Amino acid sequence: MKKEYIKPYIRKQTAGVMNKFGVSYNKGHREEIEGFHIGDFTEKFGSPVFVLSEKVIRERYRKIYSYFSSKYPKAKMSWSYKTNYLDAVCSVLHQEGETAEVVSDFEYQKARRLGVPGKKIIYNGPYKPLESLIVAFKEGAMVNLDNFDEIIKAEEAAKKLDIKASVGIRVNMDTGVYPQWSRFGFNIENNNAFNAVKRIQHSEYLHLEGIHCHIGTFMMEPSAYKEAVKKIVQLMRRIEKEFEISISYLDFGGGFPSKNILKGTYLPPEVAIQPVENFIDAITDTLLEELEPKEYPEVYLETGRAIVDEAGWLITTVDAVKRLPDGTKSYIIDAGVNLLYTSAWYNYHVEIDREIHGAYENSIIYGPLCMNIDVVVESAFLPPLPKGTRLILSPMGAYNMTQWMQFIRYRPAVVMILEDGTVEQIRRPETLQDIVGPESVPEKLKRFQF
Amino acid sequence: MDKDKLAVLAVSESGFIFDPVTGHSYTANATGLKILELLKAGKEPDEIRSVLLDEYDSTEDEVSVDVNDFIENLKKYFLI
Amino acid sequence: MKLTVAVSGINTIDNPGPGAGICRALKESGMDVRTIGLAYDALEPGIYLDHIIDKSYIMPYPSGSREAFIERIKDIHSRESIDVIISALDAELPIYMDIEPVLKDIGIKMLIPSKEMFRLRDKLRLKELAEKIGVKAPEYMSCTSLADLHNAVNELGFPCMVKGPFYEAYKANSPGEAEGYFGKIAAAWGYPIIVQKFIQGDEYDVIGCGDGNGNDIGVFAIRKMTITKLGKVWNAVSIRNEKLIEATKRVVKGLSWRGGFEFEVLLEDKTQEIYVLEINPRFPAWVYFPAGCGINLPARMVQLLTGQDYDTHSDYKSGKLMIRYTNELVKDISDFEQISTFGETSEKGE
C-alpha cells in the first residue's frame, strides 16, 4: 500500500509573516452549492459557469422588504436592472413585487419586453435620449431628471405628446462621505436643486412628483443615509411650501453593501459590513422623526447588490499551475476579467471543491486572456492546487452578468438553482453566431488569398 | 549541483530546518523533507522521482512537476 | 480561585502592544492567574517571556475568516479552559465584538465595548464625540484617494497629521511627505486615512476602564515626556489634572464605556484647552505603569468579570516616572522551531 501523496514544499521563514495559520486556519472546502455537486454543474454546463440561487434571491429580498415595510408604511422597492438584468433574475424579483429601475433605453425596453408595464418602471440615469423620454412619458413611467438640459429635453418630449408629464429630480448633497457623488443630479447645498424645481414648475408641460437620490455605492456607513434623508425632507418641505404642491414619492436609491471584500479593507466582511437593517433604520427612523404621518410620501429603495450579490457563484477550473520567476505560485483559470469586471475592486472569496493537503501559500490567480491585466485574484491563500481543481468564487450575483464583456472568449452559461430543487440554464453559452451575427463585410474585402 | 550547502542544514523531524551558516530557517512538509534527504544523499532528480513514485500514490507527471518546482525553490533560496 | 486569562498584543516591539504589560500586571496582582499569550507571529517577543506568560499560541489573522478565528479559540479553550480574554489590539477588536456572544456561550468572558460604542469613538466621528463630552477636536478630513488627500491638505494646511484607520500617525510638513505617509499607511491598513490639523501643545494620556454602566473602575493620567518616531510614549510622568480626569469620566459616562481605553488628548499651549486626539478602545502599551502605582486595571477587569470584589479608586501619586527600556533575552532556535512549526510554545519545564 503506497502512502498518500502530499505535494512537497519548503518555505523560508521571513520576519513579520511567521504565522503558521495566516488568514486560513480551518482549511475547509466546498463540494456543493445548495446540494448540487460542483462537478455536476461543470459537466452539464461547461466551465466556467455562473450559478445563481432563486432561494437566496427571494430570501434576501424578503428580508430587506419585510424589515423596510415594517418600519415605514409606504415602503416600495424597485429592482435595479443594471445590477443583474438577466430575465430570470428580474422575473424572480418582479414576482416578489418589485418594479423595475432602469437607467437606459435598452434596460427600459428589456423591462417592457419582460412584461413590466411602463407605470411600474423608474427611469433614472444621466442620459436619456429624447425618443426614450417620449415613450416613457406615454407609458406613464416615473422619470427622474438629472440636469437642466434634460429638463428642457423632457419638456420637448411632453410637448410633442401634448401632456403635462410628471417628473422627479435627482439630487446630490454632502452626506459626510467621500467621494461625494456630485456628478449626478442637482446639488442641494448650492440651491441648484431648488432652481431645477422652479424651472420645472414654470413649465407648461412638466410638474414635479418626486425626489430621487443615490448617494454612493458600497456605502459602509449608515449615518450617511440619515444625512441624505434629513436634507431631502428639508428640500421637500421648502418646495411644497413655495410651489404649493405635494411630493408623492422619495427615492433613496441603493448603495447598500454586500459581503464582498472591498480591496483596501482589513477586516473580514462578516465583521466590517454592517447589517442591512442598520441602513434601513437610518432611513426610516429619520423619516419618522422628520415627517408628520399625514405627509408620508411613498419611499422607494433600489437595492441591487445587497439582494443579489450573495446569490451568485462562479465555478471555474484551474487549467495550469505556474511558479513565477520571483517564486510566487500562480494559477491560470478559465475565467478572466472579461467576465469579472468586479475583480477590479473586490477580493473574492475563493473556495476549492475538494480537500487538498499541503502547505498554504499566497498565490495569484490569473485569467485565460492574453492580456497582462487579466488578474482575477491578486492574492489568495491556497494549498497546492492540481490542474483540474474547481475554484468557486463568490459573491458573484451583482454586476458581473451585466458588466461582463465578450472579449477574446465567449461568455459562459448562467444557471439558476430553482426552489423546487432543479437546475435550469437561464443563459446559454455564447456561440460564434451570437458574436458575428451583427457584422457584415464589404463586398471587395470578402476574398483573400495567402 | 552544489550539495555542500545542503549538507550543513540541521533538519528536524518537525519539518523545521535551520541553516547554521546563514542563520536562515525554513519549514518543509514530509514530502519536502524526503526530497531534501535524497538530494543530500546525492540523488539526481530522476532517481528522486522514482523513489517518490515507489513510495507514494501519485502519477509520474505530477511528481516530476513537483520535484522540479521544489528544486527551483531551493535554487531561489540559494541552497543548491 | 485559579484563573486562566488569555491576552493578545504580546508584541512588545518598537511599536508595542500592551499584552506583556497586562500579563505582568496580572502576575503581580496577588491573584492566582495562568496567563496565555495569543500571538500573530512567531517572533512576537511576548512568546519568549515565559516568566510572565505561561504559554503562547499563534492565532489566525483577524483579517481572515470569522469562523477560523472562533475555531482556533475553541481549540485553545478546550485545552486551557480560558476564563477571560483581554483583547489588546485595535485591528482584532471588531472581530471580538462580533463573536463575544459565542465566547460567552462557551464560558469565556470579555469586557469590551459594544459595536455602537466602538463606532462612536471612531476617528471619523471625533467632532460629534468631543461635543458630547465638552472638549474640542482638531479639524480633520477623511481621505480615500490621493485627490482627497490633496484637497484635505489644501484645506488644513501644513504641518498636518496623517493617520491610519487603526494605527500609525505621522506629522507631514509638505505635500510630498503627506503623500508618502498616505501611501505607506494605505498599503498596510487600508482606508480611510485621516488628515488632521496640527495643534501646538503637549500630549497627555489617560488610561481607564469602564464597567459598561457609566462608571469607571479606575483612571490614571500621564504626560508623555518622550515619544518614539512612531508616536508611542517612551517615558512618562503621572499627573493629577482634575479637568482632564473629569473629561475622562464624562467619556466613560457619555458612552457607557465597557472595557479598557486610552484617552489621548492634547492641551493647547496658549489656551490650555483639551483637544481629544483619539480614544483607543483598549489598554495602551504602558498599562503596567498604573498597575505599578496601585491602579491595577487588568486585575480589576478580571475581578469584575469573574464576580470578585475589586477596587475602583484612582488614588495614585503624581510625579511617578515611567522609564521604558529595551532588553535582550537569550533563547534557543528550538524555542522558535516549537512556536513556528506547532503554533504554540511548549509547557514550562517540558
Side-chain angles (χ1 to χ4, degrees):
Chain A
M1 179 73 186
K2 288 184 183 180
K3 287 192 266 183
E4 187 198 0
Y5 180 71
I6 296 171
K7 285 181 178 292
Y9 85 90
I10 178 165
R11 194 183 310 149
K12 192 185 215 167
Q13 297 186 302
T14 324
V17 286
M18 282 184 291
N19 186 318
K20 187 177 156 55
F21 307 121
V23 295
S24 170
Y25 169 67
N26 65 340
K27 297 169 178 176
H29 60 282
R30 176 184 201 119
E31 285 174 10
E32 45 83 41
I33 298 175
E34 291 186 4
F36 292 92
H37 200 266
I38 298 300
D40 292 347
F41 288 105
T42 48
E43 196 174 305
K44 193 152 176 217
F45 303 104
S47 174
V49 54
F50 281 101
V51 179
L52 291 161
S53 159
E54 179 194 357
K55 182 164 142 259
V56 178
I57 299 174
R58 289 192 195 271
E59 279 171 2
R60 292 289 303 163
Y61 167 77
R62 286 176 194 169
K63 181 178 150 139
I64 294 171
Y65 179 71
S66 68
Y67 191 76
F68 178 33
S69 58
S70 75
K71 299 273 299 189
Y72 186 80
K74 293 182 175 175
K76 304 264 177 191
M77 288 182 68
S78 193
W79 176 241
S80 157
Y81 262 48
K82 64 181 175 299
T83 311
N84 190 322
Y85 46 56
L86 289 176
D87 284 350
V89 172
C90 296
S91 297
V92 170
L93 291 160
H94 294 325
Q95 278 186 354
E96 289 290 331
E98 279 206 274
T99 60
E101 186 258 332
V102 304
V103 291
S104 71
D105 43 353
F106 157 70
E107 287 189 356
Y108 188 97
Q109 288 158 13
K110 202 162 187 296
R112 290 288 295 118
R113 172 188 143 279
L114 201 57
V116 181
K119 283 191 164 54
K120 297 291 176 191
I121 296 177
I122 302 178
Y123 189 11
N124 289 328
Y127 169 64
K128 307 179 189 79
L130 179 67
E131 299 70 34
S132 73
L133 278 174
I134 293 175
V135 174
F137 284 151
K138 204 191 297 178
E139 297 179 344
M142 266 170 68
V143 178
N144 291 317
L145 302 176
D146 180 86
N147 55 64
F148 280 102
D149 282 323
E150 200 167 74
I151 295 179
I152 293 164
K153 205 194 285 174
E155 198 168 32
E156 195 184 330
K159 192 174 175 183
K160 281 207 169 127
L161 295 169
D162 195 28
I163 55 166
K164 189 149 185 158
S166 302
V167 295
I169 51 163
R170 172 154 180 180
V171 297
N172 68 64
M173 73 219 90
D174 181 7
T175 57
V177 295
Y178 300 87
Q180 188 183 331
W181 273 19
S182 52
R183 56 167 287 198
F184 300 112
F186 303 92
N187 184 265
I188 292 186
E189 286 93 358
N190 71 9
N191 224 21
N192 230 322
F194 186 79
N195 290 336
V197 176
K198 207 182 212 168
R199 175 68 185 77
I200 288 168
Q201 289 306 115
H202 271 299
S203 165
E204 269 179 67
Y205 298 97
L206 300 174
H207 79 94
L208 186 77
E209 196 74 35
I211 305 174
H212 169 232
C213 74
H214 191 125
I215 56 178
T217 190
F218 215 95
M219 306 289 293
M220 307 281 275
E221 182 51 61
S223 64
Y225 286 91
K226 203 168 158 178
E227 266 321 288
V229 172
K230 275 190 187 162
K231 289 192 171 170
I232 286 184
V233 169
Q234 264 173 20
L235 176 71
M236 177 179 101
R237 287 254 166 78
R238 187 174 165 208
I239 292 167
E240 289 184 334
K241 199 171 151 212
E242 192 94 6
F243 304 104
E244 293 176 339
I245 55 170
S246 161
I247 298 289
S248 67
Y249 72 87
L250 299 179
D251 178 349
F252 292 104
F256 301 164
S258 66
K259 289 208 170 120
N260 234 316
I261 308 168
L262 214 52
K263 288 183 181 175
T265 49
Y266 181 74
L267 291 166
E270 305 91 319
V271 178
I273 304 295
Q274 297 193 34
V276 71
E277 286 87 347
N278 292 12
F279 291 88
I280 294 171
D281 281 345
I283 293 173
T284 54
D285 290 354
T286 317
L287 280 170
L288 298 181
E289 272 165 35
E290 303 281 325
L291 293 171
E292 302 286 332
K294 62 176 188 329
E295 53 180 355
Y296 287 162
E298 287 183 338
V299 170
Y300 282 87
L301 288 183
E302 300 163 355
T303 307
R305 178 189 289 115
I307 292 175
V308 82
D309 210 6
E310 285 147 58
W313 298 264
L314 177 71
I315 302 174
T316 155
T317 308
V318 173
D319 187 68
V321 184
K322 220 176 195 178
R323 194 167 285 281
L324 304 179
D326 69 356
T328 312
K329 191 75 174 265
S330 73
Y331 297 99
I332 300 169
I333 59 171
D334 57 9
V337 295
N338 51 332
L339 305 180
L340 301 169
Y341 194 72
T342 59
S343 62
W345 53 86
Y346 294 141
N347 291 321
Y348 301 130
H349 186 49
V350 181
E351 293 170 297
I352 51 181
D353 68 337
R354 61 195 82 171
E355 194 174 350
I356 293 173
H357 295 286
Y360 279 59
E361 61 184 310
N362 277 317
S363 318
I364 304 182
I365 302 177
Y366 290 118
L369 307 179
C370 189
M371 297 283 292
N372 197 38
I373 54 160
D374 193 16
V375 182
V376 175
V377 183
E378 285 160 16
S379 178
F381 202 59
L382 294 169
L385 306 180
K387 179 175 153 62
T389 309
R390 314 271 184 215
L391 299 183
I392 303 105
L393 308 183
S394 62
M396 278 292 144
Y399 293 104
N400 290 307
M401 280 151 262
T402 48
Q403 292 184 324
W404 59 0
M405 57 185 136
Q406 188 279 310
F407 176 61
I408 300 186
R409 309 196 75 240
Y410 296 120
R411 283 174 287 199
V414 182
V415 303
M416 187 180 272
I417 306 172
L418 300 173
E419 276 192 319
D420 63 8
T422 58
V423 176
E424 243 180 79
Q425 182 167 275
I426 60 168
R427 193 179 197 273
R428 64 161 170 77
E430 284 171 343
T431 63
L432 184 59
Q433 196 48 42
D434 293 328
I435 319 298
V436 299
E439 290 191 39
S440 54
V441 180
E443 200 51 43
K444 70 164 197 159
L445 301 180
K446 277 184 176 163
R447 280 162 301 279
F448 48 79
Q449 212 179 353
F450 294 110
Chain B
M1 211 180 284
D2 177 9
K3 304 276 163 29
D4 297 351
K5 288 179 184 163
L6 290 180
V8 301
L9 294 180
V11 180
S12 155
E13 263 176 49
S14 69
F16 182 81
I17 300 156
F18 179 64
D19 182 338
V21 177
T22 62
H24 287 306
S25 55
Y26 306 85
T27 51
N29 62 358
T31 323
L33 289 183
K34 182 86 199 172
I35 301 176
L36 208 56
E37 183 193 307
L38 293 167
L39 282 169
K40 272 180 149 188
K43 304 280 188 223
E44 290 303 315
D46 279 344
E47 297 171 273
I48 295 173
R49 272 190 280 276
S50 61
V51 172
L52 290 180
L53 275 172
D54 284 345
E55 211 165 305
Y56 296 100
D57 182 22
S58 184
T59 62
E60 191 159 353
D61 279 350
E62 183 171 25
V63 168
S64 83
V65 169
D66 291 349
V67 169
N68 281 342
D69 189 48
F70 192 83
I71 291 173
E72 280 309 307
N73 249 329
L74 293 180
K75 282 185 193 156
K76 190 182 89 192
Y77 294 145
F78 303 106
L79 286 172
I80 48 177
Chain C
M1 180 159 59
K2 168 114 183 163
L3 292 170
T4 301
V5 180
V7 178
S8 62
I10 58 171
N11 52 331
T12 47
I13 51 169
D14 59 346
N15 179 5
I22 292 170
C23 291
R24 186 175 170 206
L26 291 173
K27 285 286 183 195
E28 293 182 9
S29 67
M31 289 192 291
D32 188 8
V33 180
R34 174 173 163 83
T35 50
I36 305 292
L38 303 177
Y40 291 105
D41 189 277
L43 275 184
E44 288 188 20
I47 293 168
Y48 303 90
L49 299 176
D50 50 17
H51 57 295
I52 52 170
I53 300 177
D54 296 310
K55 177 150 179 159
S56 293
Y57 292 87
I58 297 284
M59 289 290 295
Y61 290 120
S63 55
S65 96
R66 174 184 185 269
E67 276 61 43
F69 202 81
I70 295 176
E71 276 317 302
R72 181 61 173 160
I73 292 178
K74 282 187 175 165
D75 172 38
I76 299 169
H77 186 52
S78 70
R79 290 185 278 159
E80 297 285 354
S81 293
I82 302 168
D83 295 293
V84 171
I85 294 179
I86 302 183
S87 163
L89 293 168
D90 291 355
E92 68 177 16
L93 198 59
I95 205 163
Y96 276 116
M97 293 187 304
D98 201 56
I99 67 173
E100 195 195 351
V102 181
L103 298 180
K104 200 175 160 192
D105 281 348
I106 57 173
I108 301 175
K109 301 182 190 75
M110 295 189 78
L111 195 71
I112 49 175
S114 68
K115 290 182 184 177
E116 185 53 28
M117 294 174 202
F118 185 76
R119 278 198 280 278
L120 281 171
R121 55 133 292 279
D122 194 289
K123 287 177 200 183
L124 299 172
R125 300 174 73 173
L126 269 188
K127 264 182 223 160
E128 225 175 289
L129 180 68
E131 264 170 43
K132 199 166 174 178
I133 57 175
V135 298
K136 294 195 154 185
E139 287 291 309
Y140 65 88
M141 291 172 83
S142 82
C143 307
T144 51
S145 67
L146 273 179
D148 289 348
L149 176 77
H150 293 144
N151 187 16
V153 295
N154 276 340
E155 190 92 358
L156 300 170
F158 290 102
C160 63
M161 301 299 294
V162 183
K163 297 179 156 191
F166 295 111
Y167 304 105
E168 298 190 36
Y170 300 97
K171 182 176 165 189
N173 294 299
S174 67
E177 258 182 46
E179 257 180 50
Y181 295 137
F182 182 88
K184 187 179 151 138
I185 298 172
W189 300 106
Y191 299 108
I193 284 164
I194 290 139
V195 178
Q196 187 178 286
K197 196 180 176 83
F198 179 78
I199 289 158
Q200 188 66 45
D202 274 343
E203 287 190 30
Y204 294 81
D205 242 359
V206 189
I207 184 176
C209 184
D211 68 358
N213 300 315
N215 311 304
D216 67 82
I217 61 169
V219 297
F220 184 94
I222 59 165
R223 183 173 80 82
K224 298 179 186 175
M225 297 172 82
T226 50
I227 53 174
T228 66
K229 275 189 178 155
L230 291 168
K232 300 291 141 184
V233 56
W234 195 254
N235 296 307
V237 61
S238 66
I239 58 153
R240 298 210 61 104
N241 176 331
E242 288 315 316
K243 220 171 112 186
L244 186 53
I245 297 292
E246 270 162 35
T248 310
K249 297 207 176 228
R250 285 199 299 274
V251 173
V252 177
K253 198 159 205 77
L255 299 178
S256 290
W257 191 261
R258 186 167 179 270
F261 67 86
E262 177 189 25
F263 183 41
E264 288 191 71
V265 302
L266 192 135
L267 264 57
E268 193 180 13
D269 281 349
K270 18 176 214 214
T271 62
Q272 282 301 297
E273 281 196 274
I274 300 175
Y275 281 83
V276 52
L277 297 178
E278 219 169 294
I279 296 179
N280 291 314
R282 36 104 193 129
F283 289 132
W286 50 276
V287 60
Y288 178 75
F289 183 26
C293 298
I295 315 290
N296 194 330
L297 295 172
R300 291 180 185 184
M301 180 192 267
V302 170
Q303 287 159 344
L304 181 156
L305 286 170
T306 53
Q308 306 179 59
D309 292 337
Y310 56 93
D311 287 328
T312 58
H313 70 79
S314 303
D315 304 332
Y316 64 89
K317 290 205 172 76
S318 60
K320 291 290 173 192
L321 204 57
M322 177 185 91
I323 303 293
R324 184 171 279 170
Y325 72 114
T326 55
N327 195 6
E328 289 80 30
L329 287 174
V330 178
K331 293 282 170 182
D332 194 80
I333 192 76
S334 62
D335 296 317
F336 172 67
E337 171 185 353
Q338 173 68 30
I339 186 84
S340 67
T341 49
F342 297 105
E344 60 189 78
T345 53
S346 48
E347 208 55 52
K348 255 193 254 181
E350 255 178 37

